[in-house]
Amino acid sequence: MEYGNVREALKLLLEYNDKQLNPGLKIGSLGEPQKLATVNDVQDFNLELLMNITDLLGMSDLYLEK
């Protein structure tokens, strides 16, 4: 999912990684049962949002240089 502004993307990133708001790091699409996230799930989620944020800031070269 692409976010239209940095604030929305950062808010979701913070909520997802907050132990109080998301104990045990659960994932799942709307309407589907949630499951405990694996390390790979967390990395994929965080990387996707971080790439979206860098795009919004005009800094996509940070991940395209690889």
Side-chain angles (χ1 to χ4, degrees):
M1 175 176 236
E2 295 268 330
Y3 289 87
N5 64 59
V6 174
R7 182 181 182 87
E8 287 176 11
L10 285 173
K11 183 176 184 234
L12 180 58
L13 195 58
L14 288 167
E15 288 172 356
Y16 179 76
N17 288 279
D18 187 309
K19 292 177 190 175
Q20 301 275 328
L21 296 175
N22 190 10
L25 275 173
K26 295 180 181 172
I27 60 169
S29 299
L30 290 175
E32 294 180 12
Q34 291 193 331
K35 66 172 184 127
L36 288 178
T38 65
V39 171
N40 284 336
D41 292 333
V42 175
Q43 287 177 317
D44 289 344
F45 182 86
N46 288 343
L47 182 59
E48 183 178 331
L49 271 172
L50 288 167
M51 289 169 58
N52 188 186
I53 291 166
T54 58
D55 289 345
L56 290 167
L57 294 172
M59 300 179 189
S60 56
D61 60 298
L62 291 173
Y63 67 87
L64 293 175
E65 288 179 346
K66 292 182 181 181

